[in-house]
Amino acid sequence: MADELEQHREEIIKLNEQILELLTRRGEVAKKIGEVKRKQGIIVYDPKREKEMLNTLIDQNKGPFSDSVIKQLFKEIFKASTDLQKGDHEKHLYVSRKLKPEDTVVKFNNGGAIGDGKKSFIFGPCSVESQEQVDKVAENLASKGEKFIRGGAFKPRTSPYDFQGLGEEGLKILKKTKDKYDLNIVSEIVNPADFEMADKYVDVFQIGARNMHNFELLKEAGRTRKPILLKRGLSATIEEFIKAAEYIASEGNNNIILCERGIRTYENATRNTLDISAVPILKQGTHLPVMVDVTHSTGRKDIMLPTAKAALAVGADGVMAEVHPDPSVALSDSGQQMDLEEFDEFYNSLSPLSKKYNTNEL
Amino acid sequence: MADELEQHREEIIKLNEQILELLTRRGEVAKKIGEVKRKQGIIVYDPKREKEMLNTLIDQNKGPFSDSVIKQLFKEIFKASTDLQKGDHEKHLYVSRKLKPEDTVVKFNNGGAIGDGKKSFIFGPCSVESQEQVDKVAENLASKGEKFIRGGAFKPRTSPYDFQGLGEEGLKILKKTKDKYDLNIVSEIVNPADFEMADKYVDVFQIGARNMHNFELLKEAGRTRKPILLKRGLSATIEEFIKAAEYIASEGNNNIILCERGIRTYENATRNTLDISAVPILKQGTHLPVMVDVTHSTGRKDIMLPTAKAALAVGADGVMAEVHPDPSVALSDSGQQMDLEEFDEFYNSLSPLSKKYNTNEL
Amino acid sequence: MADELEQHREEIIKLNEQILELLTRRGEVAKKIGEVKRKQGIIVYDPKREKEMLNTLIDQNKGPFSDSVIKQLFKEIFKASTDLQKGDHEKHLYVSRKLKPEDTVVKFNNGGAIGDGKKSFIFGPCSVESQEQVDKVAENLASKGEKFIRGGAFKPRTSPYDFQGLGEEGLKILKKTKDKYDLNIVSEIVNPADFEMADKYVDVFQIGARNMHNFELLKEAGRTRKPILLKRGLSATIEEFIKAAEYIASEGNNNIILCERGIRTYENATRNTLDISAVPILKQGTHLPVMVDVTHSTGRKDIMLPTAKAALAVGADGVMAEVHPDPSVALSDSGQQMDLEEFDEFYNSLSPLSKKYNTNEL
Amino acid sequence: MADELEQHREEIIKLNEQILELLTRRGEVAKKIGEVKRKQGIIVYDPKREKEMLNTLIDQNKGPFSDSVIKQLFKEIFKASTDLQKGDHEKHLYVSRKLKPEDTVVKFNNGGAIGDGKKSFIFGPCSVESQEQVDKVAENLASKGEKFIRGGAFKPRTSPYDFQGLGEEGLKILKKTKDKYDLNIVSEIVNPADFEMADKYVDVFQIGARNMHNFELLKEAGRTRKPILLKRGLSATIEEFIKAAEYIASEGNNNIILCERGIRTYENATRNTLDISAVPILKQGTHLPVMVDVTHSTGRKDIMLPTAKAALAVGADGVMAEVHPDPSVALSDSGQQMDLEEFDEFYNSLSPLSKKYNTNEL
């Protein structure tokens, strides 16, 4: 009986070979069809024809495999064949590292850069409230040699009665701060119609978590020539996050900085759950810089330093956090912004570590 | 010792009374402050003053309660007092049933209505693909006496390379269908700039799940005079959902239909998790009609009928589902749309039940 | 060029046929191997041999399909072949409706039944606290003609300092109640060692949500001859829930009642999120009765009635809820148990509906 | 009118003072009651009395605060008073850092330690399959100077038909490995009845994620004198995780090592979502060592190294990961275990970093 088993197994091996050969031939014909279609400008995927072919095969199927198994197997074969017909640009996203293996580096006139192998920081208040408030933070940042400041002028808030930001007035404040302290301005845009107006004030357009699925905003962001800081949606998968970036890239703007900012889970010890694993997955799958926002992910000042350290260690290109001269009277997120003293302590602990990464000691 | 305990307990009861008396007096003064402030147009909540008062109390605190307990207790007292200072409109949202106890009924010229105590249905294809396709479904619906048809002309899709809808062309198709079959058109708007253009084609503007947090879109929807069908966000809390509706209402448009369409959870046997409990909570908390979308919540044709029955039973004002003349070649959501035969079966099972609710047999 | 395309398409169709033929022959040989193996008592799945076959095929692959595509396609073919080798009992779970199409009905000596097509109710206090407390509820239930009462004697509590239940003392109380009111006792077991002791007091052993993944407890439950009420785990998938039931069934006990009791999600308006879609999925996939616990899923007395109605409508075999003579002093779950008055109101609304289902009016 | 406002504000400040004074007096009486109760052995919290007091206050309330506000405020006051009556041990958990500020260090005879400020590693195969398999890994670990090896003899598996582990046979294999290579054995126990048997083979009893809510197992673990490695439940909150550890500690065993191993979320790019923020929260809240399992959290070999680095950086006491001599034929988790070559690469990258932490360079 061992002989019988052995004999059947040899048959199986021969059948494997023959199936492989037929698949190879099918693949070659599929490639030729792809070439013809490309010349004619026909879309490669043709669900109607596939349905017909499947129906024919099911008619011919006499077992022992069930119809649903045959359907499943041939669907896989069809899919593999369709993929063969696609060019590189059809197979891979613009943001994919498979298409562009080298890192995207976002560079700025003041010498700032994100994604150049060094660790970058973007700090600043949640909302722009006054010139004095922004300047206080900017002065602190400039004295540390930092190159960026963040501040929201358009604030997407859960309630229509919460402070909605100062709007263009806020952007003007930021611009004055930029002129004084030579910092790049990172600020959120929430309406596709606002990019043009905001262009004269802002260096990096931020797309916030609540708008990651706002595809009209993403497309418009893709039509600007400024860097985009794209935050992961509240409960976006990593795949959806990458596709959201592709919306921007597909319109011609590759200057995209991704930002992991925590996802919504059942755990309420933190404001969101910082998905630290997303960072290496995004770094592997795309050529874009990836930052980690430790304020919105944790919502807890008491663990911002260790999570920022984790972000650097896991391979993020930088860290974002919120700083406010007087958080207790802040018009938004008052509980989770660091005051300047807390920020100095945070910065003084994080910065030496960051330098070790920058000089390849780590 | 029992005496000692008894004696202490009597002291406690007296102290309770005295605290109550002081709270009452504090409440009365707070109300007066509120009146003065209202006259002067000053915002009621004043975080700086509260901070000062808390600091004073903490300085005075000599135990046995810890400073943080005292802080916590007085924060509660302050909050209760601030609430006293608010008028009804400040306390309650426009969409709240506390402000408007009677149900909002959304009425249409063709006799259709949503929220009038009867069960309503909104069926139709995921995307508008052609005049013929929409008309086939419309003919079926009209023959059943239905008053609504849904169909997407602007499709928010995860990938920029997926079919994005026919745009205005799709709306024109829907309008022709409306003129032929006298059905109200429900179609999604994704860009604040598009309401004006869409106004001549569409009867109900839908805001999709991915845009529930797109506050610019919500505000613009509030400025139209057409009914808005607002879908719950992918992972929006019920509270956030209500606040999103309030964005619309606060701009003056109260014709809002809420739609539960499933939330994102770890469970992947269904496309999303239908949160059936949300329906009675929304009905209690707001005066708005609430529908249930059984297509996007379950993503499974095999359980659409029982979940639609559950939706009617739990108190929803109606059910939404997707129907397509040939789902296997549909340009979006091909796996989960019912074909016309499946739809007839679904409808013929659901409709008698619906009639029992309409005639108060259930 | 259209000719060229047509010609290639004909080739494809021929190749499809040939691949189908080879797959068919491969399937037949695989079946024979399965028969030999069965005779010899060899396990069907052989990962080592598959690995070798894949390596051989990869060596032979010269494109155009990539090695990973070839690997993927053949893995599917291997899997389909292995499935062919399995007998029905290997392919389907004991709890699967594919193995046993007819409904499992759990019957009791007092005339009670669960899963017989009629709607059943299991009500009672969260914890057994005293004879008087349980009797009060039992008297109410018996007067309504109900056949079951629930009550916890072993309470799995998050904190070791919370009330852990009266233990065997509690079971004795339940037994006395049973003797007085002729109700079946449903009570939770938390330690594999306790089934024997509890057997003389309890009619239905409950496995709670926190123990759904406690496989030792499940196995021991399977070795008893009493019905098991198995609650879905806090964040168990439907598939895991079915497999947990299979642990019990695989030990020989098919008297299993499944209970959907809500899953853990980000939404905190309810204690858990009642996954109503799980009910029809469980009913389709298994032959077991399915109940819905409206207390633990919602945690809100104000929506228990509508969600109970939804449970009946979606096809559940019955409803569970917690009732306590004086919830405000209950030793566990005091906020969500109905008092007897609330319960009467709930019951009087639900019961007529339930009767309509029982008499096939619904 | 500004005067009027000022005058009211002064009244408010006086009332604040008087309320504070009454609260202080109430607190002092409450403390005395606590002392009397402690002497008499009466439980401090008395829901019946609180209910009566609340009813009295509601009867006396004449506004302007609503009854529900008064109820809420006094409930807070009652709670604060009850807390005053508790001793330190009643207020704080045994595992709390508030009770024991210094770190718990778990020490072993072979010189190994966890929680001593140095980074520790626990590696080894998912399941024990054979002496040869375990020895191969052990030899590798011993040659690196490691002090621990993990391996499962009792495997909690979703399906009853998956490999359930070798049982005691597996533990004997581990013991032989220990004797040869002087490594501490970490192995999971799943049945309360098994601790006694396992005691002679195992150095650290592991409680797996699926059993974190199995309180009977936790209690029994607390009655042993061996260290317990407690994994966080699939969807346990951090608070529940700490309370689960308290179950062990409350039985007298403080030798507990916590292990974050990812939580269940909607994201499926990783097996679970590594909740890196949990580490500093657990380190702050408890005095117990905290490890991170990078295998079960990520389920992806391609990101194990960066997430392990993040774990060290965030302050974890060590890292766990699975290693198998030939993962492709492993009886469980074959896709995510590193082979020895991959492991060497992982280890050689992680170990220098670990040493920098150990020598306080980081």
Side-chain angles (χ1 to χ4, degrees), chain A residues 215-216 219 247, chain B residues 126-130 133 151-174 187-188 190 331-332:
Chain A
F215 301 123
E216 298 306 305
K219 286 180 200 166
Y247 262 97
Chain B
C126 180
S127 299
V128 173
E129 293 163 17
S130 71
Q133 170 231 23
F154 298 97
K155 300 297 304 171
R157 302 298 297 277
T158 300
S159 164
Y161 309 121
D162 286 339
F163 177 60
Q164 307 270 318
L166 296 179
E168 188 170 358
E169 196 48 49
L171 296 182
K172 286 180 183 166
I173 289 173
L174 288 167
S187 199
E188 179 165 358
V190 296
L331 296 176
S332 57

Side-chain angles (χ1 to χ4, degrees), chain B residues 207 212 218 228-232 241 244-245 248 257-259:
Chain B
I207 309 276
M212 194 210 81
L218 296 174
I228 309 297
L229 180 90
L230 178 65
K231 293 200 150 189
R232 182 176 181 185
F241 190 19
I248 301 170
I257 303 152
L258 301 176
C259 182

Side-chain angles (χ1 to χ4, degrees), chain B residues 82-112:
Chain B
T82 309
D83 285 349
L84 274 184
Q85 298 178 9
K86 289 181 183 164
D88 253 19
H89 266 278
E90 291 167 292
K91 260 189 258 176
H92 302 304
L93 301 177
Y94 283 109
V95 299
S96 168
R97 201 175 273 280
K98 282 191 185 139
L99 203 65
K100 173 176 177 282
E102 65 278 8
D103 286 340
T104 287
V105 183
V106 181
K107 286 179 191 162
F108 297 86
N109 290 335
N110 71 348

Side-chain angles (χ1 to χ4, degrees), chain C residues 48 51 94 157-161 164 190 214-216 219 235 240 243 246-247 250 264 328-329, chain D residues 48 51 94 157-161 164 190 214-216 219 235 240 243 246-247 250 264 328-329:
Chain C
K48 262 197 185 160
K51 204 181 151 189
Y94 282 110
R157 303 298 298 276
T158 300
S159 163
Y161 309 121
Q164 307 271 317
V190 296
N214 181 348
F215 302 122
E216 298 306 304
K219 286 179 201 166
S235 68
E240 288 170 346
K243 295 268 175 68
E246 182 72 6
Y247 261 97
S250 70
R264 187 164 273 188
S328 67
V329 299
Chain D
K48 262 195 186 160
K51 204 181 153 189
Y94 283 110
R157 302 298 297 275
T158 300
S159 164
Y161 309 122
Q164 307 270 317
V190 295
N214 181 347
F215 302 122
E216 298 307 305
K219 286 180 201 165
S235 68
E240 288 170 346
K243 294 268 175 66
E246 183 72 6
Y247 263 97
S250 71
R264 187 164 272 189
S328 67
V329 299

